[in-house]
Amino acid sequence: MQFPESWLRSFCNPDLTTQQLADLLTMAGLEVEELQPVAPPFTGVVVAQVLAVAKHPDADRLNVCQVDAGTGSVLQIVCGAPNVRPGIKVPCAMVGAELPPGADGKPFKIKLGKLRGVESQGMLCSARELGVADESNGLHILADDAPLGLSIRDHLRLDDTLLTLKLTPNLAHCLSVAGIAREVSALTGAPLTLPVTAPVQPGSDARLKVNVQAPDLCGRFGGRVIQGVNPQAPTPDWMVERLARCGQRSVSALVDISNYVMFELGQPSHVFDLDKIHGELTVRWGRPGEQLKLLNGNTISLDEQVGVIADANQVESLAGIMGGDATSVGDDTRNVYLEGAFWWPKAIAGRARRYNFSTDASHRYERGVDPAPTAACLERITQLILEICGGQAGPLDDQVVNVPSRPPVTLRLSRAQRVIGMPVSLDECQAVFQRLGLPYATQAQGEDTHLIVSPPSWRFDLQIEEDLIEEVVRVIGFDKLPRRAPKAPVVAEVRPEAQRGLYAVRRSVAARGYQEVITFSFVEARWEADFAGNTQPIQLLNPIASQLSVMRSTLIGSLVEVLKTNLARKADRVRLFEVGRVFRRDAAVADGPQSVAGFDQPVRVSGLAFGPAESLQWGQASRPVDFFDVKGDVESLLAPRQATFAAAEHPAFHPGRCAQVQVDGRIVGFVGELHPKWRQAYDLPQAPVLFELDADALTQRPVSRFTSVPRMQSVFRDLALVVNDGTPHDALIGAIHSAATEGLVRGARLFDIYKPKAPVAGIGENERSLAVRVELRDDEQTLTDERIDAAVQAVLQSLNDRVGARVRA
């Protein structure tokens, strides 16, 4: 929220400098994000009046002006502004004045000089030259009653500062200058003077009936008919100035008055053109199929989740957010209906963002607007309309339907002292509540004292005991808290030796040549359907972008999107990985400190490899990365645990180039080449190879154990086997290890594959020859030929029984 310091000091003027005031607000929880002067420094500029204008004798675009600057003598000033004319009052920089720095960064000094041979005794200024506007179309014309010779800084009140506050959502009561003044008064003890408006005496009996049909939408509704207004009446300069310094441009007198009171007192309002309303007004929830053209020109579709104000024919306003175009006030408006209401925060929250815009009114209503002064604020707006636009006001209709009640909140003095961390007396707490305007009652409870506080109507944030403790400490001052080290022993949590952290996992993946990326947890619904086969992903209620509408259950889609970004920037070799959570529905998950009922949120590690297997080099020929390259990376990451790979199917991967990764018999992930249809659908020049693993499988690392060097030598036997073409490698090696050899088999490795192109004796049409080297060893004694032969026969028997292998003849 932005506002001028002078407006705040008109309500509460503590004996503090601007910087001290900003520091006070920041330490009280109202962070001052920026302090900005209204105008840059300059001197020697006064109010002057142009008496006469004559053409320059040697320049078509210059004029010679006779100017009265209140010095007692007439000045001659050469001016090139297109809007100069006799009679206007403008800023005049006298000889010796210093104007704000120009493009060179140096102050611009006004000297006595000649322009095309004509002496100029000063300079007539535009708003841009004074630094009070970014653009200007000529001289800055002042009001006719501006006193001649008065410093322009005093006349325009330029010695002012704009404060920009960064307010948290619980500080709804500070979304007005009056609300901030109330806080400053409580923090400093300075007197508070708020505007008081006497009820306007009705000049007519005109009324407009309003039916409030939705008490859960509107808790209080006030309105008044004002007839015979002049919508073209100029907005007073003081109001235009304050609105501009709040960041609000002037529109028309009626709109400006509504905005002014919103900034002043925090009550949004709306002005309808009464003659454009058909029949009575009804406050209700919207209906499917209804549409409304808003003041910003957008036409929106409504439903039962959105509150509206409707007449007999159509919807006329989006409740608490923005009015409709059909009943907007214009230059031909003569009769208006003034509306101000209390809309329930839950009924307004998120509705404006749903239509991709936000308004000052919705920003306030969704945080909570005080319902108590609704009528008083309407009286204030009515008074200003009558003073500026004229007209006659009808009686004020005020319907109190369903305003919030504030249950008492109890503060235990002992609890406050324990949380704050320093002694706080009962008198100090009582003084804080009195200064904040919080009614309370004191009650003794044994050795403790309870303060029972009744939150006022404007404090939507006071709901639990900790809220009251925060009020006490921020008014007393956070700088009063003692500085002392915590007394509780700090014991570092030791990670088990058999487990490593995710940072170590990241370093291991990076050591394999992958670069880490961090992407959003919300993704496109298309990615979930394509890469995870998830047609019912977890939907987001309020996505940050329309396409990022669901929570991811796999990291693959995010990596493919990052790959496309890199390819668009001419990267030919890409290695990416991400460590992040995925989100899946799981009814077995219960609520806990780090879990949400019904949703499983495991951490996954996923990687992608694209392009050449190695960087450009001379040592070996270039070849594209393949399944076995990434399979090797996965084995390295899981080491020293032994991973096994089994053919599998996955929605994201090529049906024949995908494997599930198993560790200790448990499936921990998948590795494979991207499916050809997704490579084509996502416009990739070649298919990347990806893996996705459970982070738990990578963080578990068995502790190394000592084993002595074998005392006995190993014996190796090479077996030439004939097997069916469909026999998997894992089944072959498993059959060897499961043979009844009394533990003599210590290893087996396939080292040759022979598939004849023409028929060969001993090898059938659908068969091939495999050469396997088997390692045999007994740690206790030397193997004899008899035991070796028996072990080899047991291995051959196991191979025959399990995979149908036979010795090649």
Side-chain angles (χ1 to χ4, degrees):
M1 176 179 172
Q2 177 180 300
F3 61 91
E5 180 186 0
S6 59
W7 197 357
L8 174 63
R9 289 188 181 274
S10 68
F11 292 157
C12 181
N13 190 13
D15 188 16
L16 300 172
T17 64
T18 300
Q19 188 59 54
Q20 289 173 334
L21 178 60
D23 294 341
L24 174 75
L25 290 172
T26 298
M27 291 303 297
L30 286 71
E31 180 186 353
V32 178
E33 191 174 29
E34 184 181 13
L35 290 175
Q36 181 182 358
V38 170
F42 61 83
T43 60
V45 182
V46 300
V47 177
Q49 185 173 23
V50 179
L51 302 178
V53 178
K55 284 291 183 182
H56 192 288
D58 292 331
D60 295 337
R61 296 186 179 182
L62 296 180
N63 296 295
V64 180
C65 305
Q66 304 300 315
V67 178
D68 181 4
T71 59
S73 60
V74 176
L75 304 178
Q76 177 176 280
I77 298 177
V78 179
C79 175
N83 61 338
V84 63
R85 62 183 185 274
I88 61 173
K89 291 184 176 180
V90 294
C92 176
M94 308 293 287
V95 173
E98 285 192 3
L99 296 184
D104 58 357
K106 298 179 180 179
F108 183 65
K109 296 184 178 181
I110 303 300
K111 300 178 181 179
L112 184 66
K114 292 185 178 182
L115 291 177
R116 293 289 185 92
V118 177
E119 185 177 69
S120 182
Q121 300 169 335
M123 174 180 170
L124 303 184
C125 302
S126 66
R128 181 180 180 182
E129 290 164 337
L130 296 179
V132 297
D134 295 331
E135 297 180 0
S136 60
N137 296 320
L139 299 177
H140 183 47
I141 300 177
L142 305 174
D144 293 338
D145 58 353
L148 294 179
L150 181 66
S151 170
I152 201 69
R153 298 194 71 92
D154 295 335
H155 177 65
L156 297 180
R157 294 180 287 276
L158 299 181
D159 294 319
D160 199 356
T161 304
L162 302 182
L163 286 82
T164 302
L165 302 189
K166 188 178 181 180
L167 298 176
T168 51
N170 63 312
L171 297 176
H173 59 286
C174 295
L175 287 170
S176 66
V177 179
I180 298 169
R182 185 165 48 208
E183 289 291 305
V184 173
S185 177
L187 294 169
T188 63
L192 177 66
T193 304
L194 296 178
V196 178
T197 302
V200 174
Q201 295 301 318
S204 70
D205 295 329
R207 293 177 180 268
L208 177 64
K209 186 176 180 181
V210 179
N211 301 307
V212 180
Q213 296 181 355
D216 56 337
L217 166 66
C218 179
R220 182 173 184 177
F221 191 94
R224 162 177 274 157
V225 171
I226 304 177
Q227 298 174 313
V229 298
N230 176 15
Q232 300 185 43
T235 305
D237 291 340
W238 59 268
M239 183 177 290
V240 173
E241 172 197 296
R242 283 185 170 177
L243 287 174
R245 294 180 184 181
C246 289
Q248 183 72 46
R249 66 179 181 87
S250 175
V251 179
S252 66
L254 291 171
V255 176
D256 291 347
I257 293 169
S258 174
N259 289 333
Y260 179 83
V261 175
M262 178 182 66
F263 286 115
E264 180 183 55
L265 302 177
Q267 173 66 59
S269 59
H270 184 63
V271 181
F272 294 87
D273 188 324
L274 180 64
D275 298 328
K276 298 177 182 178
I277 297 176
H278 307 280
E280 303 173 355
L281 289 181
T282 302
V283 177
R284 58 173 174 81
W285 292 103
R287 297 164 184 164
E290 290 183 321
Q291 290 190 328
L292 171 64
K293 184 179 180 182
L294 298 169
L295 289 173
N296 61 7
N298 295 344
T299 299
I300 60 174
S301 298
L302 307 173
D303 57 28
E304 63 278 358
Q305 300 295 321
V306 181
V308 300
I309 302 176
D311 61 15
N313 291 355
Q314 61 185 359
V315 175
E316 299 294 359
S317 177
L318 198 58
I321 300 175
M322 184 181 288
D325 181 70
T327 54
S328 61
V329 295
D331 291 344
D332 56 349
T333 298
R334 292 296 174 266
N335 305 308
V336 299
Y337 181 73
L338 174 63
E339 168 264 319
F342 167 74
W343 307 99
W344 282 93
K346 289 184 178 180
I348 304 300
R351 271 59 172 191
R353 290 188 295 276
R354 172 181 171 181
Y355 297 112
N356 299 319
F357 68 88
S358 180
T359 63
D360 289 321
S362 66
H363 182 77
R364 286 162 172 77
Y365 277 126
E366 64 187 6
R367 286 159 174 77
V369 172
D370 184 6
T374 301
C377 292
L378 291 176
E379 295 287 4
R380 171 73 168 156
I381 299 172
T382 303
Q383 179 194 50
L384 291 173
I385 290 177
L386 296 181
E387 290 177 358
I388 298 171
C389 302
Q392 291 184 330
L396 178 66
D397 291 324
D398 185 16
Q399 301 181 51
V400 181
V401 182
N402 178 29
V403 295
S405 59
R406 301 274 184 264
V409 182
T410 300
L411 171 70
R412 294 167 289 174
L413 188 59
S414 59
R415 167 74 172 164
Q417 294 173 344
R418 188 163 62 251
V419 172
I420 294 173
M422 71 176 188
V424 179
S425 68
L426 177 62
D427 291 339
E428 287 178 313
C429 291
Q430 290 174 329
V432 168
F433 294 151
Q434 289 172 358
R435 289 161 65 177
L436 290 172
L438 307 180
Y440 67 91
T442 306
Q443 188 177 79
Q445 293 287 335
E447 296 181 356
D448 199 1
T449 303
H450 292 188
L451 284 87
I452 303 172
V453 176
S454 300
S457 57
W458 66 83
R459 293 304 299 267
F460 287 78
D461 58 321
L462 300 182
Q463 300 178 2
I464 59 176
E465 185 177 19
E466 283 71 15
D467 295 331
L468 296 179
I469 296 174
E470 180 187 2
E471 295 301 301
V472 171
V473 69
R474 75 183 186 91
V475 173
I476 291 176
F478 289 107
D479 56 330
K480 302 294 193 304
L481 293 176
R483 298 182 180 180
R484 57 172 178 256
K487 295 181 179 180
V490 179
V491 179
E493 184 177 347
V494 180
R495 180 180 289 115
E497 192 175 357
Q499 182 180 359
R500 60 176 175 173
L502 283 175
Y503 283 106
V505 174
R506 287 183 170 95
R507 288 192 290 271
S508 297
V509 184
R512 304 295 302 174
Y514 292 79
Q515 293 184 328
E516 186 176 11
V517 299
I518 300 175
T519 62
F520 284 126
S521 297
F522 1 97
V523 298
E524 297 183 25
R526 175 193 175 191
W527 298 356
E528 281 296 293
D530 292 349
F531 301 122
N534 186 5
T535 58
Q536 292 184 334
I538 301 171
Q539 297 283 341
L540 290 171
L541 295 177
N542 184 27
I544 61 171
S546 58
Q547 69 273 20
L548 304 179
S549 59
V550 302
M551 302 298 291
R552 66 186 179 189
S553 64
T554 177
L555 303 177
I556 294 175
S558 301
L559 293 181
V560 170
E561 183 66 18
V562 176
L563 171 62
K564 291 182 61 179
T565 301
N566 281 267
L567 294 178
R569 286 155 179 78
K570 307 302 181 184
D572 61 344
R573 185 176 185 273
V574 181
R575 298 292 186 275
L576 306 170
F577 82 96
E578 180 171 13
V579 179
R581 292 192 181 274
V582 297
F583 305 86
R584 304 178 304 181
R585 300 183 191 276
D586 188 347
V589 178
D591 264 326
Q594 295 182 339
S595 62
V596 178
F599 299 96
D600 187 23
Q601 305 175 55
V603 179
R604 295 275 181 83
V605 179
S606 186
L608 177 148
F610 175 90
E614 301 293 340
S615 299
L616 187 64
Q617 57 165 308
W618 58 269
Q620 61 183 13
S622 177
R623 65 174 180 83
V625 66
D626 59 21
F627 172 88
F628 297 100
D629 293 316
V630 178
K631 174 177 175 286
D633 291 336
V634 172
E635 289 177 321
S636 175
L637 295 174
L638 290 169
R641 304 175 77 187
Q642 294 294 322
T644 59
F645 299 83
E649 292 188 359
H650 188 282
F653 296 140
H654 191 299
R657 299 173 186 173
C658 170
Q660 62 184 15
V661 185
Q662 299 181 9
V663 176
D664 299 332
R666 183 173 70 93
I667 300 175
V668 299
F670 289 85
V671 58
E673 183 181 296
L674 191 68
H675 200 293
K677 65 180 180 180
W678 304 140
R679 181 197 66 77
Q680 185 176 9
Y682 288 85
D683 197 22
L684 301 176
Q686 69 184 63
V689 184
L690 302 102
F691 69 85
E692 186 166 71
L693 305 172
D694 291 335
D696 290 343
L698 293 170
T699 56
Q700 301 299 323
R701 302 199 73 175
V703 179
S704 300
R705 295 184 178 182
F706 170 77
T707 56
S708 61
V709 177
R711 294 187 299 112
M712 304 300 172
Q713 293 185 355
S714 297
V715 175
F716 297 92
R717 291 290 185 268
D718 292 345
L719 305 178
L721 306 172
V722 177
V723 299
N724 188 279
D725 285 338
T727 302
H729 171 270
D730 287 348
L732 180 76
I733 302 300
I736 295 173
H737 281 283
S738 61
T741 61
E742 299 179 352
L744 295 183
V745 176
R746 298 306 178 93
R749 182 177 294 273
L750 174 68
F751 65 89
D752 187 37
I753 300 176
Y754 173 62
K755 176 69 175 177
K757 296 182 180 179
V760 175
I763 303 179
E765 182 180 357
N766 297 322
E767 294 179 328
R768 56 184 170 177
S769 175
L770 306 179
V772 180
R773 177 164 294 173
V774 180
E775 179 185 3
L776 305 172
R777 188 178 70 242
D778 188 336
D779 292 333
E780 300 299 328
Q781 56 184 320
T782 303
L783 290 174
T784 63
D785 290 340
E786 292 77 8
R787 295 184 67 193
I788 294 173
D789 292 341
V792 171
Q793 290 301 318
V795 168
L796 293 175
Q797 186 64 43
S798 177
L799 286 168
N800 183 265
D801 295 342
R802 294 175 179 272
V803 297
R806 66 181 186 276
V807 177
R808 180 179 173 186

